[in-house]
Amino acid sequence: MTEPVVKRVLNFIREPRQDDFSRLALEVFAFQYERNSTYQRFCDRRGITPDTVSSWKEIPAVPTSAFKLLDLSCATPEQVFLTSGTSQSSEKRGRHGFPWLEVYDTSLLTNFSAHLLPDGARPRMLILAPSPDLLPTSSLSHMLEVVRMAYGSEGSTYFIGDKAIDIPGLLQTLGEIEARQEPVCLLGSSFAFVHVLDVCLADGPSFRLPDGSRLMDTGGFKGRSREVSRGELLRLYQKIFGIPQAFCVNEYGMTEMGSQFYDNTLSDRVQGRSRPRFKQIPPWVRTRIVDPATLEELPEGKVGLLTHYDLANCGSVMAVETEDLGYKIEEGFEILGRAPGAESRGCSLTIEELQENR
């Protein structure tokens, strides 16, 4: 049976009302304080309880690295996602349990359609990521499958098998789509796209995909053999696929969160707006930029660590302190990458507190 506060979060995601975020955030904090004993002890150590908090900004945030060490679920998970573990052993991979997967999927579909399908399109989806059958604990694979099932037209499919990317199959399909003038949506990890672009640059094929075609990439290049700048990727997407840069949307998400962030460019184009590219914050999330050492909030334009308050995390901890650097811009933020070197002092202190409370 779904908890009353979870139902209220679901209703808010479906029909957000600006004034209700703060009230609902405090309700979610009280629920997590009661149901999550690890988090409760962490809050008690800081002298913070639901009775002492009057603003969502006062809710204690847990670092993403805590998901590698502790079970932070408020109830038995319906689904557990694991971090990629690209540079760590399997024992150190982060684990995030979702007791109510409907909340995750509702947040995902609402936000994805607003930023990738704001014109109501239902294009064929060609996916450069493993399916959930290959990676059942990957939040990205789950996310792409939910999107494919909900919005993908006939022929939507994956082009990564258990061994490699099917680049010949993808290029053949793109040629057929170009000939039929059928708009398409390309989805996948940034590094998978780089492999395809490399083949096209070396062998020569390029496309003029039909108007209305779009692309979503995600993920960085941590632990990979090389990196490609955002600007260079956008240039190559337009050169090789013929997709305008405004129709190329980057997604920023993490296993430790139930919500994602998308570039504003496509939704702005449909609404006739012209603004710089940035990550738009969905109505059920708040993001603060904080000083890595003091965890104090920084003014607009200053680079700091991103801390998110995500109502879609109602089944674990809603306040998550990341190791990602960014700055506030317009109604959202832009991300610059991972903080260099060791964990920030503030993060390290928080981990010590959590460990001592076990």
Side-chain angles (χ1 to χ4, degrees):
M1 179 180 294
T2 303
E3 300 287 342
V5 68
V6 177
K7 290 182 179 178
R8 285 194 284 276
V9 168
L10 273 169
N11 290 336
F12 183 78
I13 292 172
R14 289 168 177 147
E15 294 185 34
R17 295 174 297 279
Q18 190 70 20
D19 294 343
D20 287 348
F21 177 87
S22 295
R23 176 185 55 76
L24 194 49
L26 295 180
E27 282 187 46
V28 169
F29 173 54
F31 173 75
Q32 294 176 339
Y33 180 86
E34 177 190 342
R35 295 297 186 90
N36 187 333
S37 58
T38 301
Y39 185 55
Q40 183 185 91
R41 289 193 294 272
F42 169 68
C43 295
D44 286 345
R45 183 180 172 87
R46 294 191 166 196
I48 300 174
T49 73
D51 293 332
T52 67
V53 168
S54 59
S55 165
W56 60 268
K57 293 183 179 181
E58 300 169 11
I59 296 172
V62 168
T64 51
S65 49
F67 287 82
K68 299 174 185 174
L69 306 170
L70 304 165
D71 178 4
L72 295 170
S73 299
C74 294
T76 302
E78 192 176 332
Q79 172 81 46
V80 175
F81 295 129
L82 304 181
T83 56
S84 60
T86 51
S87 61
Q88 301 111 6
S89 67
S90 59
E91 290 75 19
K92 291 185 178 180
R93 294 173 68 181
R95 297 172 55 88
H96 191 183
F98 287 86
W100 302 283
L101 199 58
E102 182 182 4
V103 178
Y104 184 98
D105 291 350
T106 301
S107 168
L108 160 62
L109 292 175
T110 303
N111 208 18
F112 181 91
S113 62
H115 293 90
L116 267 299
L117 309 169
D119 52 356
R122 295 293 182 268
R124 184 175 176 182
M125 295 182 173
L126 308 183
I127 302 173
L128 295 179
S131 72
D133 290 339
L134 291 176
L135 283 181
T137 59
S138 164
S139 57
L140 176 61
S141 294
H142 174 84
M143 170 190 159
L144 294 175
E145 177 63 6
V146 170
V147 165
R148 186 186 73 87
M149 294 293 290
Y151 300 130
S153 67
E154 185 178 356
S156 297
T157 189
Y158 294 85
F159 284 86
I160 289 187
D162 55 355
K163 293 183 179 177
I165 308 173
D166 179 12
I167 295 179
L170 174 66
L171 299 184
Q172 179 181 341
T173 302
L174 290 178
E176 295 167 357
I177 286 170
E178 183 181 32
R180 287 202 300 265
Q181 287 296 293
E182 169 196 354
V184 67
C185 181
L186 299 174
L187 303 160
S189 69
S190 301
F191 200 67
F193 277 113
V194 167
H195 279 292
V196 175
L197 294 170
D198 283 346
V199 170
C200 291
L201 289 170
D203 298 342
S206 62
F207 306 89
R208 294 294 302 170
L209 294 177
D211 290 347
S213 295
R214 58 207 68 193
L215 179 151
M216 187 210 81
D217 64 3
T218 184
F221 295 88
K222 179 185 173 189
R224 304 296 188 180
S225 56
R226 68 188 180 96
E227 296 188 11
V228 181
S229 71
R230 187 73 201 146
E232 179 65 0
L233 269 179
L234 291 171
R235 187 185 72 80
L236 291 175
Y237 290 150
Q238 185 156 14
K239 175 181 178 180
I240 300 299
F241 301 130
I243 299 178
Q245 295 191 10
F247 284 70
C248 298
V249 175
N250 181 249
E251 183 259 2
Y252 162 63
M254 59 185 67
T255 303
E256 297 86 353
M257 284 186 66
S259 296
Q260 301 81 35
F261 305 89
Y262 298 89
D263 285 346
N264 60 308
T265 52
L266 180 50
S267 60
D268 275 8
R269 172 66 66 90
V270 170
Q271 296 174 43
R273 305 180 72 177
S274 177
R275 297 185 293 179
R277 183 182 291 266
F278 65 91
K279 296 289 179 295
Q280 201 132 27
I281 301 171
W284 53 93
V285 180
R286 296 292 183 273
T287 296
R288 300 172 70 213
I289 313 294
V290 302
D291 185 290
T294 67
L295 302 184
E296 294 294 322
E297 188 164 5
L298 294 170
E300 185 168 345
K302 294 289 186 182
V303 175
L305 292 173
L306 304 179
T307 298
H308 305 295
Y309 300 77
D310 181 8
L311 294 181
N313 264 23
C314 56
S316 54
V317 287
M318 68 166 291
V320 177
E321 180 183 286
T322 77
E323 297 172 9
D324 296 325
L325 291 171
Y327 59 91
K328 180 175 173 52
I329 176 174
E330 297 281 348
E331 298 164 6
F333 61 87
E334 190 50 282
I335 185 167
L336 300 175
R338 297 287 293 247
E343 292 170 340
S344 68
R345 189 175 70 88
C347 287
S348 298
L349 290 173
T350 307
I351 284 293
E352 285 180 14
E353 290 178 80
L354 284 162
Q355 289 284 71
E356 288 172 3
N357 288 329
R358 296 181 71 180

